[in-house]
Amino acid sequence: SFMGLIAGILAVPLGLMLSIVLIFVINVQSFGWSMAISPSIFDLSLAVILSIAAAFLAGIYPAYKMSRVQPAQSLRND
C-alpha cells in the first residue's frame, strides 16, 4: 500500500506535466489545435486512492501465501 501511495503521489505531478507537453506542444505541432486543461481535485485524489488500492490488492495473495510457509522448514536443507 505504501508503494502505491508513493506511486500515486509521484504520478499526479508527472502526469500533469506530460499532459501540458502533449496538449500545448505535440497537439499544436501535429494537429494545429490545443485545448484547456481542467484538472479536478476529485479526479487527482481518486487516482491516488486507486493506486493505493491496486497495490494493496496486488499484495494480498503473496502475503497470504507467505503467511502459510513455516520459516524453519523453508531454511532447512533437504
Side-chain angles (χ1 to χ4, degrees):
S1 295
F2 182 70
M3 288 174 57
L5 174 67
I6 297 301
I9 289 173
L10 291 175
V12 168
L14 292 174
L16 287 173
M17 287 189 294
L18 182 63
S19 68
I20 289 170
V21 169
L22 287 172
I23 291 171
F24 293 113
V25 176
I26 305 298
N27 279 355
V28 172
Q29 289 180 356
S30 298
F31 308 112
W33 58 269
S34 183
M35 60 188 221
I37 296 177
S38 60
S40 71
I41 298 299
F42 175 76
D43 291 336
L44 297 176
S45 60
L46 183 62
V48 173
I49 291 169
L50 285 175
S51 69
I52 294 169
F56 177 75
L57 290 174
I60 287 177
Y61 182 69
Y64 173 75
K65 292 294 280 186
M66 289 308 295
S67 70
R68 301 305 225 179
V69 173
Q70 297 294 328
Q73 289 178 350
S74 296
L75 294 173
R76 185 179 61 190
N77 285 334
D78 286 327

